[in-house]
Amino acid sequence: MTPAREMPPRGPLGTDELARLHAWWRACNYLAAGMIYLQDNPLLRRPLVPDDIKHRLLGHWGASPALSFVWTHLNRVIRRDDLDVIFLAGPGHGAPGVLGPVYLEGTYSAFYPEIGQDEAGLRRFLRQFSFPGQIGSHVTPETPGSIHEGGELGYSLAHAYGAVFDNPDLIAACVVGDGEAETGPLAAAWHSNKFLNPCRDGAVLPILSLNGYKIANPTVLARISEEELTALFTGYGYSPLMVCGSDPEAMHQLMAATLDEAIGRIREIQATARKDRRPDRPRWPMIVLRSPKGWTGPKEIGGHKAEGTWRSHQVPLGDVRDNPASLRQLEDWLRSYRPDEL
């Protein structure tokens, strides 16, 4: 007997829009992994061989999928509502999760014509990441539009608030890593909302990326209950909205609905304050995004759990040039994003 198919999760996304958002995110994740590993064969037109792999593997996979997930959904509301939004990536070495979307949008090629929108350009794009004489694994100043470099953790939220003061139409969407959130500068920066005037300033939308682990151990904020987490950020003066899960389809619908709600609240706060000319301190929305570390990456490596653990923090598969089994696992991982369709 054929089991009944589960009903897809309800949300604001229609079938076509959901498929296109997910395809964009798959492409971002493919590029993020490709930046860490590949120096050749960028579209996997043939099976991977050791010479396709960089000799020295550098970069941080773990934070990248959540960063590009947020970027994907911000693009949806920016295009729909013609919003003025700046994106700040707090997680330290999360550059693959930012560079991938910048390349897909064509912005990277506009600034660097030699990194074209073709196979040769893609090869150069992947090879330059963490490669001698090329670009670093942070969102460095070479990244078009960069105002924040995440390697020195803790300053993303302060930079986000600084960007919106006396800039009434701007929304600064700031992804805060849960490891980053344990630093002193970031812990203090949550209170910057006390200085925001809704009559004349823009808005900051903090998005806490709660993936559970730092480089080798659990994060504090991921080890408290949702009730306590909600109470914490309510006490900071925010109205927290939760996006929690691992199933991509359900998470796309939930993130889309939550982002719609957050943007709606921001616009309502600003409209009321500017109409009444009352600079009262509102309770601004913020989002808690709880997703697995290394989301969509290898589930297990060498018999040990990888996705959702500290093992996904940097380079999940470190011996792919020397271990044929690891090389095949890397190829299976990359092909899981179906690059031939993208």
Side-chain angles (χ1 to χ4, degrees), residues 14-292:
T15 303
D16 180 63
E17 188 175 26
L18 173 61
R20 287 187 288 118
L21 281 172
H22 188 55
W24 173 272
W25 186 49
R26 279 167 35 217
C28 290
N29 290 333
Y30 177 83
L31 291 175
M35 275 181 255
I36 295 172
Y37 287 99
L38 298 182
Q39 64 178 358
D40 201 0
N41 195 13
L43 291 174
L44 301 186
R45 296 196 187 279
R46 52 175 172 74
L48 282 178
V49 297
D51 284 345
D52 293 330
I53 307 301
K54 296 175 181 178
H55 286 269
R56 188 182 183 197
L57 302 179
L58 292 172
H60 287 56
W61 162 251
S64 296
L67 285 166
S68 60
F69 182 79
V70 173
W71 189 297
T72 300
H73 281 269
L74 285 170
N75 270 0
R76 169 182 169 265
V77 294
I78 290 168
R79 290 166 59 85
R80 184 192 66 193
D81 300 337
D82 192 26
L83 299 177
D84 186 7
V85 176
I86 187 171
F87 179 94
L88 287 97
H93 293 255
V98 175
L99 292 171
V102 174
Y103 176 77
L104 285 179
E105 291 176 355
T107 305
Y108 208 92
S109 299
F111 278 83
Y112 302 104
E114 70 277 13
I115 309 293
Q117 297 281 295
D118 55 12
E119 188 168 357
L122 178 59
R123 180 184 293 106
R124 285 189 174 190
F125 176 72
L126 299 182
R127 179 179 288 184
Q128 69 173 356
F129 179 79
S130 282
F131 205 80
Q134 301 297 311
I135 64 171
S137 62
H138 302 181
V139 180
T140 57
E142 291 85 358
T143 303
S146 172
I147 67 166
H148 169 76
E149 200 272 355
E152 188 175 359
L153 291 177
Y155 300 95
S156 59
L157 198 54
H159 290 165
Y161 277 100
V164 303
F165 289 134
D166 295 319
N167 200 343
D169 297 325
L170 182 64
I171 297 174
C174 181
V175 180
V176 176
D178 52 357
E180 177 193 19
E182 296 177 13
T183 65
L186 199 291
W190 292 113
H191 296 286
S192 300
N193 56 4
K194 280 73 172 175
F195 302 98
L196 210 60
N197 184 335
C199 294
R200 66 167 187 249
D201 298 328
V204 173
L205 179 61
I207 301 166
L208 176 64
S209 182
L210 205 63
N211 63 34
Y213 290 87
K214 303 192 287 289
I215 191 168
N217 56 341
T219 58
V220 173
L221 292 182
R223 291 303 181 266
I224 62 178
S225 68
E226 186 173 309
E227 180 183 11
E228 187 176 351
L229 197 64
T230 300
L232 176 67
F233 287 107
T234 301
Y236 283 162
Y238 295 93
S239 179
L241 304 168
M242 300 291 172
V243 177
C244 307
S246 59
D247 175 71
E249 184 172 349
M251 288 290 278
H252 280 305
Q253 293 285 11
L254 182 55
M255 186 64 176
T258 302
L259 204 51
D260 285 351
E261 182 178 354
I263 297 298
R265 288 191 193 181
I266 288 171
R267 290 299 186 227
E268 183 180 354
I269 288 168
Q270 292 176 333
T272 300
R274 292 167 190 180
K275 178 184 176 183
D276 300 339
R277 296 185 179 181
R278 291 174 57 93
D280 296 337
R281 183 162 68 86
R283 190 172 292 281
W284 296 97
M286 60 90 64
I287 294 174
V288 176
L289 174 61
R290 190 189 292 268
S291 61

Side-chain angles (χ1 to χ4, degrees), residues 300-305:
E300 288 190 0
I301 296 174
H304 298 286
K305 186 178 179 182

